[in-house]
Amino acid sequence: MTILSQLAAMRSYFETGITKPYAFRKQQLLLLKQAVTAHEEEIYAALYADLKKSKEECWVTENGFFLAELNDTINHLRQWMSHESVRTNLLNLPSNSYILREPLGITLIIGPWNYPFQLLFTPLIGAIAAGNCVVLKPSEFAPATSAVMQKIIEATFPKEYVLYVPGDGAAVIPEMMNHFTFDHVFYTGSTAVGKLIYKMAAERLVPVTLELGGKSPCVVEQDANINIAAKRIVMTKFSNAGQMCVAPDYVLVHVSQKDALVKAMKEKIIEFFGARAEECDHYGRLVNTKQFDRVAAYLTQGKVLHGGRQNRSDLFIEPTLLDQVNPEAAVMKEEIFGPVLPILTFSTPDEAKAIIAQNPNPLAFYVFTSSSAKETFWLDAIPAGGACVNNASWHLTNPSLPFGGRGFSGTGAYHGKYSFDTFSHKKAVMRTPTWFDPSIKYPPLKGKLKLFKWIIR
Ligand code: NAD
């Protein structure tokens, strides 16, 4: 069966209406939970093979993260599916109005390699919960994890309901998107490929969610708790060897605190990963030599304050702090996506804002400060997808918050109820009784302007 005939079969399946009832959706979510739980050890082994992730890291950022979101969705599904009553304006009384969330249809979810399990399966929760059929396209660069996910999906769901399509994205995605009209495409990955996806979708007016990357700045103010800032920045920056979309990309520290921050960060790196991170059992690796070479090149674009050791055959780059980076260097123009952290200083907020403005609309923005006035100032000053105050990256683990970018870092959002909404169409419904039907609403309209102005104001 060709991919296009599989998609046609999926369309017929969806049109039977089988995916719509609450009981069906809930049952599929429970089956998914059962399958993922049963494959827990295989998932750990695969993520270790692909990215050298420890079980603990996997639980927090991959399968445990996914299961928490799945449980939250199962618990709230009935409530999310219920009609949402809204106010009816004077013009339309005594009608009543509500929003009906209906499935979009056939959705395509495209994932990247850095959190290969979580970033493909978490949007799947929203798509199933909202009553859709789903095509899953994993990244080809995390092959062990992809093989386990394929096994889970194919053992759990019929192909016309959830179809797993591995392979080279540049080949299989155009083959589908240029010949089949999806009802939604949910893409997580680089901005460069995101643009290609957006163009293909535009040809068929397919709505998209784009979860892209970007350079997420981390401002450390003069009045910040430096020890806490160092600990939290080091923890998230070097998790998964820096290959996290919301990792702090670079630090902008107030000039008066630079030495204290650097000293504290060096201590934290050693405390968390040891003096020889290559021997640490929970420090990750770059995913492949292409990514290794790209990140290793950044090490020459500043003065290494800490770290800098590398081993290409092991895809290892030490947690590295970089000083004296030129704002024109690639390391300050591209998303780093690796364990290299430039430390820049500022004296005035305007200086810091000018540096951030060179890479607008970051996916996330972080500020460390003990002043609520500075917190308000910074949150207001930087347009970003999301933000943390005195923290970094953790906002994405709260399913009550929408997760997504803006502009260059993406469009749309998901997690929790926001995923359900992303994969649902909000149908506006007005129900009008027949017992009341004033003639004033009907032609001839001449002479009714004064009344209309009173009603519509
Ligand atoms: P990528 O763009 O290379 O690949 C993502 C997906 O696109 C893969 O499934 C791949 O097969 C497919 N693809 C690749 N080339 C294609 C083409 N020419 N046509 C169609 N599809 C193609 O991204 P990546 O390197 O896997 O992921 C890293 C990027 O993703 C980083 O920029 C990171 O910031 C971003 N990211 C964003 C988020 C987020 O939630 N916003 C999360 C993780 C990663």
Side-chain angles (χ1 to χ4, degrees):
M1 215 174 176
T2 66
I3 185 79
L4 292 177
S5 49
Q6 284 181 313
L7 293 173
M10 192 172 249
R11 175 71 69 201
S12 308
Y13 183 80
F14 177 75
E15 282 172 3
T16 64
I18 192 172
T19 65
K20 292 185 181 178
Y22 166 76
F24 178 89
R25 303 185 197 189
K26 185 171 176 194
Q27 177 63 13
Q28 307 315 309
L29 293 173
L30 289 171
L31 287 173
L32 184 60
K33 179 175 173 176
Q34 214 172 50
V36 168
T37 306
H39 289 79
E40 182 173 342
E41 289 303 322
E42 281 176 71
I43 294 168
Y44 291 142
L47 287 163
Y48 189 83
D50 286 331
L51 287 145
K52 202 168 180 281
K53 289 189 194 193
S54 67
K55 287 186 182 183
E56 291 78 8
E57 185 173 347
C58 289
W59 186 261
V60 176
T61 63
E62 299 264 14
N63 54 331
F65 179 104
F66 159 84
L67 286 167
E69 173 116 359
L70 183 55
N71 288 331
D72 182 61
T73 303
I74 291 169
N75 291 338
H76 291 101
L77 183 60
R78 194 185 281 282
Q79 178 196 338
W80 294 347
M81 283 178 69
S82 58
H83 295 181
E84 182 188 341
S85 293
V86 296
R87 192 181 149 267
T88 301
N89 54 352
L90 181 61
L91 175 66
N92 290 296
L93 289 178
S95 303
N96 65 29
S97 311
Y98 61 91
I99 299 166
L100 183 64
R101 285 175 171 77
E102 61 183 21
L104 298 173
I106 315 298
T107 59
L108 169 62
I109 299 175
I110 304 168
W113 50 260
N114 61 330
Y115 291 89
F117 179 86
Q118 190 244 113
L119 292 172
L120 195 72
F121 272 34
T122 305
L124 173 64
I125 300 170
I128 289 179
N132 298 284
C133 289
V134 191
V135 177
L136 289 172
K137 162 65 184 76
S139 169
E140 57 274 42
F141 298 118
T145 313
S146 177
V148 180
M149 293 191 295
Q150 181 163 14
K151 193 169 150 190
I152 290 173
I153 292 299
E154 292 182 351
T156 311
F157 303 115
K159 279 188 162 51
E160 56 282 12
Y161 176 46
V162 183
L163 180 67
Y164 197 88
V165 183
D168 173 9
V172 302
I173 292 173
E175 189 186 340
M176 293 189 285
M177 288 187 68
N178 291 336
H179 301 100
F180 179 83
T181 304
F182 285 98
D183 297 295
H184 194 88
V185 174
F186 185 104
Y187 165 84
T188 305
S190 64
T191 303
V193 173
K195 287 180 187 173
L196 301 176
I197 301 291
Y198 209 177
K199 279 184 196 156
M200 283 187 275
E203 278 301 315
R204 289 168 178 258
L205 290 177
V206 173
V208 291
T209 302
L210 300 174
E211 297 283 341
L212 311 178
K215 291 181 84 64
S216 299
C218 190
V219 168
V220 180
E221 273 284 5
Q222 200 168 6
D223 58 4
N225 179 327
I226 294 299
N227 195 43
I228 289 283
K231 209 196 269 189
R232 296 182 182 170
I233 296 169
V234 165
M235 196 246 162
T236 49
K237 171 66 189 186
F238 299 111
S239 174
N240 200 23
Q243 300 163 115
M244 190 202 289
C245 57
V246 286
D249 191 273
Y250 58 98
V251 168
L252 275 161
V253 56
H254 190 272
V255 67
S256 62
Q257 294 290 6
K258 180 186 172 189
D259 293 346
L261 182 72
V262 168
K263 180 171 175 287
M265 287 174 99
K266 287 180 182 177
E267 287 167 9
K268 294 299 162 200
I269 291 172
I270 293 172
E271 188 182 323
F272 294 168
F273 308 110
R276 294 182 60 77
E278 58 271 60
E279 289 165 10
C280 172
D281 62 8
H282 56 267
Y283 182 69
R285 293 296 183 271
L286 280 291
V287 71
N288 54 33
T289 48
K290 184 177 164 208
Q291 292 299 324
F292 176 92
D293 292 343
R294 187 184 59 76
V295 177
Y298 297 143
L299 297 174
T300 62
Q301 294 173 15
K303 181 181 160 214
V304 172
L305 283 175
H306 180 89
R309 279 184 299 110
Q310 47 174 295
N311 178 352
R312 192 172 191 266
S313 63
D314 188 29
L315 300 171
F316 166 80
I317 295 181
E318 197 181 4
T320 299
L321 305 179
L322 215 54
D323 197 9
Q324 297 172 18
V325 291
N326 178 345
E328 296 307 313
V331 72
M332 283 308 296
K333 291 197 170 297
E334 299 164 358
E335 180 184 11
I336 294 173
F337 221 56
V340 178
L341 184 62
I343 314 285
L344 291 85
T345 57
F346 70 95
S347 301
T348 65
D350 280 348
E351 270 176 45
K353 279 169 61 182
I355 293 171
I356 296 170
Q358 288 171 2
N359 297 284
N361 306 134
L363 181 57
F365 170 74
Y366 309 123
V367 59
F368 288 81
T369 177
S370 52
S371 138
S372 56
K374 284 187 174 145
E375 169 184 333
T376 306
F377 167 83
W378 279 110
L379 290 177
D380 188 53
I382 308 299
C388 290
V389 179
N390 292 323
N391 210 342
S393 315
W394 285 92
H395 61 302
L396 83 83
T397 62
N398 179 359
S400 301
L401 287 172
F403 179 69
R406 58 179 290 177
F408 293 110
S409 57
T411 179
Y414 73 127
H415 286 175
K417 168 79 158 51
Y418 302 97
S419 292
F420 179 80
D421 281 345
T422 286
F423 285 100
S424 300
H425 171 70
K426 296 184 194 70
K427 185 182 268 179
V429 183
M430 184 179 286
R431 186 199 290 119
T432 307
T434 52
W435 54 263
F436 182 66
D437 200 27
S439 60
I440 184 79
K441 288 190 166 183
Y442 298 94
L445 301 179
K446 199 167 171 51
K448 297 178 182 171
L449 184 59
K450 203 170 158 198
L451 182 66
F452 287 175
K453 281 192 171 177
W454 183 78
I455 294 172
I456 304 171
R457 61 183 192 271

